[in-house]
Amino acid sequence: MMTSLVPLPVLLPLLGSGAALMLFRFPRAQRLVSVVVLALVVLVSATLLVVVDREGTQVVWLGGWTEIGVALVADRLAVLMLLVSSIVTLAVMLYSLGQGISDSNRSAPVSIYHPTFLTLVAGVSNAFLAGDLFNLFVSFEILLFASYVLLTLGGTAGRIRAGTIYVVVNALSSMLFLITIAAVYAAVGTLNLAQIAVRLDDLPDSTSLMLHLLLLVTFAIKAAVFPLSLWLPDSYPTAPAPVTAVFAGLLTKVGVYAIIRTETLLFPGGRLSELLMVVALLSMLIGILGAIAQSDMKRLLSFTLVSHIGYMIFGIGLSSQAGMAGAIFYVAHHITIQTALFLVVGLIERQAGSTSLLRLGGLARLFPVLGVLFFVAGMNLAGIPPLSGFLGKVGLLEAGIADGGALAWTLVVGGTVTSLLTLYAVAKTWALAFWRSPQEAHAMAEELAAADASHGPAAPDAPAVGRRGQVRLDTTSYDAGLVRQAGAIVDSDRPDRDLHQRLEDDGMPTRLPALMTWTTAVLVAISVAITVVAGPLYAFTERAAGDVIDRSTYVTAVAEAAE
Amino acid sequence: MDVNLTLVVVAGALVGCGAYLLLERSLTRVLVGLVLLSNGVNVAILATSGRAGEAPFYGSADVDDMSDPLPQAMVLTAIVITLGTIAFLLAMAHRNWQLAGHDDVQDDTEDARIRRLAVDDATSDSYDMTADRDDEDDYREDG
């Protein structure tokens, strides 16, 4: 009976999306549909979580086509991901209502936003439930298409530029996924994950290694694991704040989820675990070093996202139950905290008009509530005890120590260093944007501009433009347009009217928008509450990890449902 | 399983040309590359379905003589999805051309800025911002 709940997290948002599209003339009805649908999805996911934890994995063969059709599988891992993602999407939807993304604002047309957002939720839910490789591909496409539209909302120059790279990278990874599907089908003659899992064992080692690598590369692009992560910090920061928040929180985690399935269900035994651990280390360190170099809060957070994906890959790479439990807990924690941080930054952007660390200052005095929210969320990201980020990291580090190998120890050290560097990045943001006075920020920005003008290589248009539009600086040639663009960016950081002047001229709106602040606060509170319920939650993730490590649970559940 | 060599060669050629075009800077060429690539992949999926056979309609032929319907269904789905992607990219190329007068894939301006700092051989702003103000003044007087 309870199996009838399994398709609902996909169906409800899809139906809601259709309804919202039809109601495009009635913004209020649209908002109502979105909120009600997302709240229902939260309820269904919570019920599923309880049911699956008590009665075991729930499987539905769609349309009764057993063995040859498409299966939806809800095991402990899938329902946990569903619950966390649905809570986060509901919060982000409320936040975007508060932001008035529905205003007659040209860069955020409402009639498109709601249906697209619901489609995105349907795609994410479908990816978590898919028991079939091709269904997984289709759900990736659903969520990607929704994300293309959300990213380029309004079609301004910056969004089109960022969107181009995002669309091409993702289209390429989809092609790679299709090639992989073709190869898997040729090798084993089925695409059902449980059936593949059984049949892959009979393949020659070289064939299965090739399939394994293809799948990992495909999912690593989605999850933004280091060498394949370069598209991410470029694409995410340009979107509207709620969109960036849901992208950063959820979309990369779908890739991580698919990597967990690949490593446990399809190719258990950790044949490539050393490779995974190496890329995890590189993701963590290079990601966080990139974050430190940034002077824009959104970009800084995007780089910490890449860095912290490394922790999850580390847990997966250990291929032990403890490592997997740590990784799953970390995914749940990171979805909430990364979304919350982007929502806080969205509030800052709305109130102060900028996210550049060169321009911000004195936010702690102006908006004490924002200060508290950012401080708690930032400390949680960095993993200060006793917050949930600390618990997740400790779980992973313990699993690494238990593994005991040289590579695992290197990762334990690397993880600790990354954690400290994250703290440094958060502290730097805090010191610049929140702690110093606006006057100080103003003086420094002017000084920087002056210094830039005096010791820089003269004005950006000074170097002679050579043949084929190249500019020669030092010994390297650069595209003339690029140098001009870069000059324009530096100009935009110059303090023509920064926070200090705005305060003097016309005063700032010191009242925070209520709905946005409340939803952000609730999300930060949830991330803190994860600490309170850490005991039961960690026990749950350990059971979930046990399920995925012992893949017979999944395989038998799917086979039994077929009878 | 039989594999049709012609299909494999065609798929390889299409994927190769598509990958080459994807590396271009103009979005329109990237788009053409994507079309070639996706067609190549679709042909590859067909190649995995084994030898050709009768149309897989129930009762129209002996089951053993039918070709495998599943890859055909997958190719159909993939074609629809690619159509959507191409349409979206076309719209983006057009918008890009409207806004910038060309359809080149543009560099990230922040990246360009960091590159410019490297050319300047300037330290990153973050040092100046985090260093203690008084100390910094001292350094300047000394140096």
Side-chain angles (χ1 to χ4, degrees):
Chain A
M1 188 54 224
M2 281 306 182
T3 51
S4 56
L5 283 180
V6 176
L8 285 185
V10 185
L11 284 181
L12 284 174
L14 271 186
L15 293 173
S17 167
L21 200 57
M22 283 195 292
L23 292 170
F24 73 98
R25 284 183 195 283
F26 311 98
R28 281 198 181 176
Q30 246 190 350
R31 286 180 223 164
L32 190 71
V33 167
S34 306
V35 173
V36 168
V37 163
L38 290 175
L40 279 176
V41 176
V42 173
L43 279 182
V44 170
S45 310
T47 321
L48 268 177
L49 183 90
V50 176
V51 170
V52 168
D53 197 28
R54 277 205 200 126
E55 298 174 16
T57 308
Q58 306 284 316
V59 182
V60 179
W61 287 89
L62 294 179
W65 290 88
T66 52
E67 296 287 352
I68 52 169
V70 171
L72 291 185
V73 186
D75 65 349
R76 288 200 176 95
L77 172 62
V79 290
L80 179 69
M81 301 293 284
L82 266 184
L83 181 63
V84 178
S85 71
S86 56
I87 290 174
V88 163
T89 45
L90 177 62
V92 170
M93 177 48 86
L94 289 173
Y95 179 95
S96 62
L97 292 186
Q99 191 184 24
I101 205 155
S102 50
D103 294 344
S104 49
N105 183 354
R106 202 182 161 287
S107 60
V110 63
S111 51
I112 305 168
Y113 178 75
H114 287 259
T116 318
F117 192 88
L118 289 174
T119 312
L120 180 82
V121 176
V124 171
S125 303
N126 199 29
F128 292 147
L129 290 171
D132 184 290
L133 216 48
F134 200 77
N135 196 16
L136 189 62
F137 168 74
V138 171
S139 43
F140 272 146
E141 289 304 312
I142 296 175
L143 70 88
L144 282 179
F145 256 89
S147 69
Y148 297 163
V149 175
L150 288 175
L151 195 73
T152 52
L153 215 58
T156 54
R159 285 181 192 165
I160 293 288
R161 186 198 57 72
T164 311
I165 294 160
Y166 182 77
V167 174
V168 171
V169 167
N170 278 301
L172 192 62
S173 86
S174 299
M175 289 304 143
L176 198 58
F177 198 1
L178 265 184
I179 295 175
T180 317
I181 286 175
V184 170
Y185 192 76
V188 295
T190 178
L191 289 176
N192 184 287
L193 289 176
Q195 291 169 358
I196 299 174
V198 177
R199 296 190 201 175
L200 271 179
D201 296 343
D202 302 333
L203 286 184
D205 202 45
S206 55
T207 315
S208 97
L209 183 65
M210 184 199 72
L211 297 178
H212 193 170
L213 274 173
L214 276 173
L215 279 174
L216 275 188
V217 170
T218 307
F219 297 143
I221 296 177
K222 315 267 184 208
V225 181
F226 163 64
L228 306 169
S229 67
L230 299 174
W231 57 271
L232 188 143
D234 189 17
S235 321
Y236 282 10
T238 43
V243 172
T244 313
V246 83
F247 280 16
L250 279 184
L251 295 196
T252 45
K253 308 307 183 304
V254 180
V256 173
Y257 170 85
I259 292 180
I260 294 182
R261 285 274 182 249
T262 313
E263 282 298 300
T264 56
L265 183 62
L266 300 183
F267 304 95
R271 172 173 45 190
L272 292 179
S273 60
E274 284 178 357
L275 176 71
L276 279 177
M277 286 204 256
V278 170
V279 293
L281 185 69
L282 291 175
S283 295
M284 286 198 278
L285 291 178
I286 294 178
I288 201 63
L289 291 178
I292 288 172
Q294 300 303 316
S295 61
D296 179 271
M297 285 176 90
K298 282 178 161 184
R299 287 179 66 91
L300 189 147
L301 284 180
S302 299
F303 273 99
T304 63
L305 170 64
V306 173
S307 162
H308 285 233
I309 293 287
Y311 282 105
M312 299 160 215
I313 305 300
F314 169 35
I316 299 168
L318 289 172
S319 66
S320 62
Q321 189 181 343
M324 200 58 74
I328 296 172
F329 184 88
Y330 205 83
V331 171
H333 146 80
H334 198 255
I335 290 178
T336 45
I337 198 64
Q338 192 75 47
T339 312
L341 271 170
F342 268 109
L343 293 186
V344 175
V345 173
L347 272 172
I348 292 176
E349 188 176 22
R350 185 193 163 98
Q351 294 305 110
S354 168
T355 53
S356 166
L357 289 177
L358 296 173
R359 298 179 141 232
L360 292 172
L363 290 178
R365 181 179 285 174
L366 285 170
F367 308 106
V369 180
L370 268 190
V372 172
L373 289 178
F374 180 83
F375 188 76
V376 174
M379 290 296 120
N380 200 346
L381 184 75
I384 296 297
L387 295 165
S388 55
F390 171 72
L391 298 172
K393 288 187 182 78
V394 165
L396 285 171
L397 297 187
E398 273 182 352
I401 292 169
D403 183 89
L407 197 53
W409 271 103
T410 317
L411 269 158
V412 168
V413 175
T416 319
V417 171
T418 307
S419 192
L420 290 175
L421 288 176
T422 311
L423 185 62
Y424 170 71
V426 171
K428 180 184 129 184
T429 313
W430 173 261
L432 291 176
F434 287 88
W435 210 237
R436 63 176 178 175
S437 68
Q439 290 86 341
E440 226 176 310
H442 177 67
M444 187 176 299
E446 273 192 333
E447 192 184 313
L448 276 175
D452 191 61
S454 64
H455 73 66
D461 50 347
V465 177
R467 209 156 38 89
R468 303 183 62 201
Q470 299 282 308
V471 171
R472 204 168 165 78
L473 298 170
D474 273 4
T475 51
T476 332
S477 298
Y478 292 95
D479 185 62
L482 199 64
V483 174
R484 252 197 309 280
Q485 262 176 9
I489 283 277
V490 175
D491 286 340
S492 77
D493 276 333
R494 288 197 179 128
D496 52 323
R497 246 172 76 80
D498 60 11
L499 214 55
H500 171 65
Q501 283 152 315
R502 285 180 63 187
L503 276 172
E504 297 229 309
D505 291 354
D506 37 30
M508 293 259 295
T510 43
R511 264 175 63 90
L512 291 168
L515 187 56
M516 286 168 85
T517 317
W518 274 110
T519 40
T520 313
V522 167
L523 213 54
V524 173
I526 289 175
S527 68
V528 175
I530 291 181
T531 310
V532 183
V533 296
L537 183 63
Y538 215 95
F540 184 88
T541 57
E542 271 173 354
R543 287 199 294 280
D547 280 358
V548 293
I549 291 283
D550 174 23
R551 59 177 177 164
S552 60
T553 328
Y554 191 98
V555 174
T556 42
V558 174
E560 274 172 12
E563 283 162 8
Chain B
M1 195 187 84
D2 303 332
V3 176
N4 186 328
L5 189 64
T6 321
L7 282 187
V8 174
V9 171
V10 169
L14 284 173
V15 169
C17 297
Y20 176 78
L21 280 173
L22 267 184
L23 301 175
E24 289 279 343
R25 207 166 172 84
S26 150
L27 193 54
T28 316
R29 291 188 188 191
V30 170
L31 197 116
V32 174
L34 215 56
V35 173
L36 287 184
L37 189 63
S38 69
N39 279 316
V41 173
N42 288 342
V43 173
I45 296 183
L46 275 187
T48 65
S49 65
R51 67 191 158 71
E54 298 289 321
F57 289 116
Y58 183 73
S60 67
D62 194 34
V63 175
D64 293 334
D65 295 336
M66 287 180 184
S67 54
D68 189 349
L70 199 57
Q72 301 183 7
M74 293 193 299
V75 168
L76 209 56
T77 317
I79 287 174
V80 173
I81 289 173
T82 317
L83 176 76
T85 317
I86 299 298
F88 194 84
L89 269 174
L90 262 179
M92 279 180 74
H94 180 65
R95 182 76 183 140
N96 218 340
W97 177 80
Q98 263 186 340
L99 288 167
H102 57 79
D103 71 339
D104 284 0
V105 178
Q106 294 161 57
D107 282 293
D108 183 14
T109 36
E110 282 280 337
D111 282 353
R113 182 185 167 197
I114 287 175
R115 205 180 300 170
R116 185 167 167 242
L117 282 175
V119 173
D120 283 11
D121 201 18
T123 45
S124 102
D125 303 334
S126 31
Y127 174 75
D128 290 340
M129 291 189 292
T130 42
D132 189 27
R133 311 293 308 152
D134 301 333
D135 285 0
E136 203 179 314
D137 291 342
D138 292 344
Y139 282 128
R140 285 204 181 141
E141 279 158 26
D142 294 346

